[in-house]
Amino acid sequence: MSAEKTELGRRLFYDADLSIDGTMSCATCHEQHRAFADGNATHSGVHGDPGRRNVPGLANVAWMKVLTWGNPKIQSLERQAAVPITGKKPVEMGMAGHENEIARRLGKDSCYRTMFARAFPGETAIDFAQVAKALAAFERTLVSLDTPYDAWRRGNRAVLSPDAQRGASLFAHDCSACHSGLLLSDGKYHRVVASSASDPGLGEITGRLADVGRFRTPSLRNVALTGPYLHDGSAKTVVDAVRRHPRTATLSASKMDSLSAFMNALTDYRLVKDERFSLPTEACGKRL
């Protein structure tokens, strides 16, 4: 981590030159006002390939134990960067086999050459590994711990309404076994809805029948902004997602209202407005 890597990673995060036809950047799917999620059930790739899974938010991704819905082998942000940029199942940004083209495009920009030299002193050529490292550095700055829930957790009980506090008790009883810890996720894989033959989830990686239909527990931070929900985006609302879980499927309307009030208190509006994370307007002292 360095300020230079982070600055470079922020610019790259918003640069559509990382896609084969120059139409898609990381930010195309990870929108700041949605807590760096997408808003669609899934997102199509540059060639029109249908998206396979819902785009997760990136808040606090530096501390995630695993980084994808169904592949526990991807445990570093540097390695994860290759999934959308050069992945083939599905094709997203379409750069598989064209990693050198990324270096060529970026190398044409004198400001990029300066930024890479500052971020990676002693390295003489731009390459995809540097791009991945810079993107990871920026993503690690997306810290989101400034919510009413955090103030309440630190002892300011008045910050949550009575309804939200009732929801907190319901959450502790019915949800916290999986949505646990500071990230409100245990980082493990669970089956909460009937498995789909088209997406075996964890079972695709392990080959174990018992893992078919298991997906990573998503963090619930900023959940009011990151819908739609579940691995396939099939739950359009928070209430719909909660109803998909057997333990909370039959909650009364009043209890569901309380639980929703608590989940709304998990929103960090500083994150979605912080200019440090937004599209940069200048680089190397010049407007972009």
Side-chain angles (χ1 to χ4, degrees), residues 231-250:
H231 70 278
D232 57 358
S234 60
K236 294 183 179 181
T237 67
V238 169
V239 171
D240 186 11
V242 172
R243 294 282 187 209
R244 302 284 187 95
H245 292 66
R247 191 176 181 88
T248 51
T250 58

Side-chain angles (χ1 to χ4, degrees), residues 260-272:
S260 296
F262 170 70
M263 289 187 175
N264 284 334
L266 304 177
T267 303
D268 182 351
Y269 288 103
R270 178 198 58 80
L271 175 79
V272 299

Side-chain angles (χ1 to χ4, degrees), residues 166-177 247 259 262:
R166 287 190 290 272
S169 297
L170 287 168
F171 184 88
H173 184 267
D174 293 325
C175 311
S176 63
R247 191 176 181 88
L259 189 57
F262 170 70

Side-chain angles (χ1 to χ4, degrees), residues 56-114:
L58 295 181
N60 303 316
V61 71
W63 295 303
M64 293 290 184
K65 295 178 181 178
V66 290
L67 298 171
T68 72
W69 280 107
N71 189 347
K73 297 179 180 180
I74 300 177
Q75 297 184 357
S76 76
L77 289 169
E78 289 82 357
R79 185 176 178 188
Q80 190 279 331
V83 174
I85 297 175
T86 64
K88 297 180 179 179
K89 295 183 178 180
V91 172
E92 295 180 59
M93 298 170 78
M95 294 303 287
H98 301 281
E99 293 85 351
N100 291 337
E101 173 64 10
I102 294 176
R104 188 192 69 80
R105 292 177 184 179
L106 301 178
K108 290 170 58 179
D109 184 315
S110 61
C111 180
Y112 259 135
R113 293 197 300 271
T114 297

Side-chain angles (χ1 to χ4, degrees), residues 39-52:
N40 298 297
T42 61
H43 200 290
S44 298
V46 291
H47 302 313
D49 303 58
R52 189 179 185 197

